[in-house]
Amino acid sequence: MKNIVIGTAGHIDHGKTTLVKMLTNINTDTMKEEKERGMTIDLGFAPLNIPSGDIISIIDVPGHEKFIKNMVAGAKGINFVLFLIACDDGIMPQTIEHKEILKLLGIKNGIIVLSKEI
């Protein structure tokens, strides 16, 4: 596959945006309101340069239930998902909602990322 799009999924505050920043050095929360509230509201995009010279596109989606439409819009075009679950929270309501949305969209490839605030 030449063009790869990786998306995030998971409950709010489980580390999706932090993981994208760690991988790409880009904070995908660019809106003033996102920074003030400390939560992703809209889709965020970041390129991930890999050693072959190719670029993988990463889409960071919101985890809050009020922004589920934005999550669906971002998840529609992904090939692979980084599905985050915080070790200190476990499976939460949006964890389940995101899993069901990915299933409905036919997205079957991905990994579960266990996260923990450091």
Side-chain angles (χ1 to χ4, degrees):
M1 184 177 296
K2 185 69 174 164
N3 299 309
I4 299 173
V5 179
I6 294 176
T8 62
H11 191 76
I12 184 172
D13 288 335
H14 279 201
K16 296 178 296 296
T17 302
T18 301
L19 178 60
V20 172
K21 186 173 182 182
M22 292 178 77
L23 292 171
T24 66
N25 204 30
I26 295 173
N27 182 354
T28 55
D29 283 348
T30 58
M31 296 170 35
K32 180 181 176 186
E33 186 178 358
E34 289 176 318
K35 292 176 183 179
E36 289 172 354
R37 294 173 70 177
M39 63 187 275
T40 302
I41 295 170
D42 205 358
L43 301 174
F45 302 91
L48 174 62
N49 298 302
I50 58 175
S52 68
D54 291 326
I55 298 173
I56 296 173
S57 299
I58 298 182
I59 300 176
D60 184 25
V61 304
H64 194 280
E65 65 184 335
K66 290 184 180 179
F67 306 112
I68 203 76
K69 290 179 184 178
N70 293 356
M71 183 276 178
V72 173
K76 178 62 181 147
I78 69 172
N79 308 106
F80 189 88
V81 65
L82 298 172
F83 200 100
L84 280 86
I85 301 173
C87 293
D88 55 341
D89 264 349
I91 295 173
M92 299 293 286
Q94 278 73 54
T95 310
I96 296 166
E97 287 180 2
H98 284 206
K99 178 190 164 290
E100 292 301 315
I101 290 166
L102 294 169
K103 184 177 176 181
L104 287 170
L105 295 174
I107 299 165
K108 298 177 182 178
N109 298 310
I111 59 172
I112 295 173
V113 178
L114 299 177
S115 61
K116 183 176 183 325
E117 189 174 334
I118 52 174

